Amino acid sequence: MPPSNRPMFTMTADALVIADFGPRAPRRRRAPGPYRRLLATPGARAFTIGNLLARLPMGMFGVSAVVMIAGTRGSYALAGAVTAAGLGATAVVAPWTARLVDRHGQAKIAVPATVLAALGSLALLLCVRLGAPAWTLFVSYAATATTPNLGGMSRARWAHLLDGDERSLHVANSFEQAVDEACFMLGPVLAAFLCTAFFPEAGTLTGVVLLVSGVLVFTAQRATEPPVRGRGPARAPLRAPGVPPLLAVCLAMGAVFGSMEVVTIAFADTQGHRSAAGVVLALQAAGSCAAGLVYGARSRTGAGSAADRYVWCITAMTALLTLPLLAASLTGSLPVLAVALLIAGMATAPTMVTGMTLIQRRTPPGRLNEGMTLAVTGLLAGIACGSAAGGWTAEHVSPPAGYGIPVTAGAVALMTALGWVRR
């Protein structure tokens, strides 16, 4: 064939592919997940790191105090009563601390308040170490009540940075709740390990170091700190419509957490595995943390259905709380109890996220940290009651019977939420 009549096949390999199969679609980059986008907010990662360091001891102090006091004094009732007194004092002092934070700024109030709380923890350590009278334990632990609400301050920063973006605020609330659960997942494990592997006071001492250093890092991030708004509106968050019933639910839920912690430690002790109590409690927090992250990644449904979701979440939590009671009563096996606690914890974070969202919506502007702290105060007061009731039941009846306290508290939370929604 002459050259002039020969077909021209001088295309490159890429051009041949395009000719055969049409234009190649550009590769689509996967969009970042909601939590990655959240932490990409300017300044978010810096204050989150400090907040994580400071919040980890929140899961350490309770277990450390129970192990330290029960190990030296031989009484879970005393250990539960001391922690209850400290949490009760926090329930009274924390709202005043939060109000000062709203009026004067996070950095100016949080640092001195943390130093006072650290001194209280060190005083408790010394009183236990030196064999001081029992009343000194109550006074020392009550001095830790000035610990600032780090979760509330972090949520206030998110509300300031996101400025009304409801979808992003939902993700931020879920992230913060997952952080809470992660701290209560890792904290008990670390505390139990330190108290048993080294010396009984090691958990408290480590917690003090982490708390002070974390608060210093957190408050150093001044660019993300919410602006001070003076005294704020005349109406206090406690008097805002719909807030008191929500705080009552927080009180009942706190009783669930407090009783569960003390009873689980007592149950593990009767099995001869006191050091495993932290791991067992961590599994409950792990289930809650995973559920919280999944709940936050989902698209938020209509704003009007938040109250209904709250009731359904509490219903699920109350139903799942029967599993640890059945596992401890019917099997007496610590591994079976651990699995039951893992499953039971899966309803905790969605319940807390929805509850905190409802309280945020009803808190007057300029007093968000105080509103969040009132919710935490309700939880702490409930934890105090639950710790005392759980410790008494575990010592005077039996540890398996103690798991009836969280079920009862969950039922009270459900009845309170149902009454509020109907009104």
Side-chain angles (χ1 to χ4, degrees), residues 18 31 66 173 214 229 264 280 309 335 339 351 354 373 382:
I18 294 174
V66 170
N173 285 335
R229 299 188 181 182
T264 300
V280 175
R309 294 201 312 272
V339 174
T351 303
T354 309
T373 302

Side-chain angles (χ1 to χ4, degrees), residues 69 72-73 75 77-79 81-83 85 123-124 127-128 130-142:
I69 297 172
T72 56
R73 303 298 175 96
S75 174
L78 176 61
V82 170
T83 56
L124 175 67
C127 290
V128 173
L130 300 176
W135 64 267
T136 62
L137 307 183
F138 289 91
V139 174
S140 300
Y141 205 67

Side-chain angles (χ1 to χ4, degrees), residues 385-420:
C385 298
S387 296
W392 187 93
T393 305
E395 184 169 322
H396 293 89
V397 184
S398 68
Y403 284 105
I405 303 295
V407 177
T408 303
V412 171
L414 178 58
M415 294 299 102
T416 305
L418 282 173
W420 171 65

Side-chain angles (χ1 to χ4, degrees), residues 174-336:
S174 300
F175 173 75
E176 290 298 325
Q177 188 60 41
V179 169
D180 283 338
E181 299 301 336
C183 292
F184 281 98
M185 175 177 62
L186 300 176
V189 177
L190 181 58
F193 170 75
L194 292 172
C195 292
T196 55
F198 296 97
F199 49 92
E201 299 84 4
T204 300
L205 186 60
T206 304
V208 169
V209 174
L210 290 175
L211 174 63
V212 174
S213 59
V215 168
L216 291 176
V217 173
F218 176 78
T219 55
Q221 314 307 316
R222 303 300 293 270
T224 55
E225 183 176 348
V228 177
R229 299 188 181 182
R231 293 184 175 272
R235 174 176 291 176
L238 187 59
R239 299 179 181 178
V243 170
L246 292 172
L247 298 181
V249 175
C250 290
L251 180 68
M253 291 185 62
V256 172
F257 305 146
S259 57
M260 190 76 74
E261 181 177 283
V262 175
V263 171
T264 300
I265 294 174
F267 184 85
D269 195 13
T270 59
Q271 303 293 314
H273 300 287
R274 179 188 293 181
S275 60
V279 178
V280 175
L281 290 170
L283 287 175
Q284 180 188 10
S288 180
C289 180
L293 291 174
V294 173
Y295 185 71
R298 291 183 55 196
S299 297
R300 188 176 59 88
T301 55
S305 63
D308 293 333
R309 294 201 312 272
Y310 196 39
V311 171
W312 282 111
C313 288
I314 298 176
T315 302
M317 184 187 72
T318 305
L320 292 178
L321 284 174
T322 61
L323 296 180
L325 175 62
L326 295 174
S329 302
L330 300 180
T331 69
S333 169
L334 191 61
V336 175

Side-chain angles (χ1 to χ4, degrees), residues 1 3-13 15-17 19-20:
M1 182 180 294
S4 58
N5 296 328
R6 187 178 299 165
M8 300 297 292
F9 292 104
T10 59
M11 294 188 297
T12 63
L16 185 60
V17 171
D20 290 343

